[in-house]
Amino acid sequence: MNNNVIQILSQTLEEHKEAALVLITRTKGSSPRGVGSMMLVDSNGGILAGTIGGGAAESAAALEAAKCLRQGLSKTISYEFEIESPDPQKLAMVCGGEIELFIRVFKQTNHLLIVGGGHIAQALYQLAVVLGYYIAVIDDRPEILTKERFPSASELILGDVIQELRDYPSHEQTSIVICTYNHTLDEGALAAAIAKPNRYLGMVGSRKKVALCFEHLKAQGFLPPDLDKIHTPIGLKIGGETPEEIALAILAEIQAVKYKENLAAPKDTVFARI
C-alpha cells in the first residue's frame, strides 16, 4: 500500500502537481491503522492513494491536508477518538485511542517557460534562478541554447519553437514569456501559448508590433477575452532599457501576478526586443 503512495507521489511531482502526504507518526491505545501508514491528498481534499484507516479521522485529516496545501504549511496534528463526546476536538470513532499525524506539503514549484534564448531571456533566467524557479527555455538555435548560457536551467528545448511550445506540458503555476528573435515567430508562439494552462503570459515587443500581432490573432478567431489575458506591454513600469532592467520589470510583474497584487494601474513603458 505505502509503495503505491510513494509511486503516485512521484508521478504527481513529475507532472508538476501539488499534493500532501499524511503519515501516522504515533498511536496510543486502539487506532484504525499503525505507525507508518500513509495517504496522499490533493488540494481539494481528495485521496489520491493510500489510507490511514478510513472513517472520521481520515476525512478530517484529508480536509486538514488540503488546508495545509493552500497555506503551503507542513505540520503535525493529533486526534483523540471517543464513541461519544461533546468535545469537537475529539472524533466519534468506536476504536478509541489517539493518533498523531504529520502532514508533509509538496507545493508546485514556480515554473518559468521562456520562449526564445536571447539577451532578455538570459537575463530573465538569471533572476529566476535566484528566486528558485523551475526554468525551461525553448529556442531553435543550437549556438544560443547552450548549458554555458543557461547552466542552471531545468530544461533546454531545442527544435521548432512553435511546435515545441504546443507540446510543452504547462500548468496553472507556469509563467510564459515570449521573447524570440523576430516578430513573426513571436506571433506564432503567442497563438500557440494562449490556450495553454498558465498563471502569466507575456510578450516582448513595441506597442505598434503588439497591436499588429493582435489584429492578426483576431483574424485567426481569437477573441478579446483571450487577448486581454496577455501582459503586453510586458513588465512593470519601473524604468530602464537594458536586458537586465527589462528582465527585472518582467519578473516583478510575474511575482505581482503570483501574489495577486493590483496591476490595474496603466503602463506606458514599452520594451522592444533586445
Side-chain angles (χ1 to χ4, degrees):
M1 177 72 73
N2 285 349
N3 287 342
N4 183 56
V5 173
I6 298 301
Q7 183 179 3
I8 299 299
L9 173 60
S10 176
Q11 180 181 335
T12 300
L13 297 178
E14 286 179 3
E15 294 173 354
H16 306 292
K17 298 178 181 177
E18 59 187 27
L21 184 67
V22 181
L23 173 70
I24 298 179
T25 55
R26 184 177 66 85
T27 64
K28 181 180 178 181
S30 180
S31 65
R33 293 295 299 274
V35 172
S37 299
M38 61 179 72
M39 68 177 180
L40 193 65
V41 178
D42 65 20
S43 57
N44 296 315
I47 298 174
L48 301 173
T51 179
I52 58 169
E58 185 162 287
S59 297
L63 292 176
E64 189 66 27
K67 181 180 177 182
C68 287
L69 267 175
R70 292 192 295 270
Q71 297 173 337
L73 176 69
S74 298
K75 69 177 183 179
T76 297
I77 60 173
S78 60
Y79 297 118
E80 293 182 52
F81 307 136
E82 290 188 8
I83 296 177
E84 292 184 7
S85 174
D87 187 345
Q89 300 303 314
K90 297 182 179 181
L91 300 176
M93 292 183 68
V94 175
C95 59
E98 186 178 333
I99 188 173
E100 182 181 86
L101 307 171
F102 178 63
I103 300 174
R104 171 66 164 89
V105 165
F106 294 88
K107 291 286 288 181
Q108 285 184 342
T109 303
N110 290 313
H111 182 202
L112 177 61
L113 176 58
I114 307 174
V115 185
H119 298 305
I120 292 175
Q122 190 177 24
L124 182 59
Y125 147 82
Q126 291 170 339
L127 292 175
V129 167
V130 175
L131 293 181
Y133 275 75
Y134 181 101
I135 306 166
V137 186
I138 299 176
D139 205 294
D140 58 6
R141 299 168 292 175
E143 71 278 10
I144 292 294
L145 200 68
T146 66
K147 268 293 183 183
E148 288 72 28
R149 298 187 74 244
F150 302 97
S152 298
S154 304
E155 298 180 78
L156 297 179
I157 304 166
L158 180 65
D160 181 273
V161 170
I162 296 173
Q163 189 59 51
E164 294 292 348
L165 178 57
R166 285 198 187 106
D167 294 341
Y168 191 84
S170 64
H171 53 76
E172 287 73 16
Q173 303 300 325
T174 301
S175 297
I176 305 174
V177 175
I178 297 174
C179 51
T180 76
Y181 52 85
N182 74 58
H183 297 291
T184 301
L185 190 54
D186 276 350
E187 184 177 308
L190 186 58
I194 289 174
K196 297 183 69 64
N198 69 80
R199 182 169 65 195
Y200 173 97
L201 173 58
M203 183 181 72
V204 174
S206 68
R207 192 178 299 278
K208 180 179 179 181
K209 294 294 184 181
V210 167
L212 183 60
C213 173
F214 277 27
E215 287 303 315
H216 291 165
L217 291 175
K218 288 177 184 177
Q220 295 174 41
F222 289 99
L223 302 174
D226 300 318
L227 304 180
D228 289 344
K229 298 175 184 177
I230 302 165
H231 293 265
T232 188
I234 197 168
L236 295 186
K237 185 183 177 183
I238 58 176
E241 59 182 21
T242 68
E244 293 75 17
E245 290 168 331
I246 296 171
L248 177 60
I250 294 170
L251 196 54
E253 186 171 59
I254 289 172
Q255 290 291 106
V257 170
K258 172 185 174 182
Y259 290 109
K260 298 179 172 60
E261 294 294 334
N262 181 21
L263 298 177
K267 295 183 295 182
D268 298 323
T269 302
V270 178
F271 293 131
R273 184 179 328 279
I274 295 181

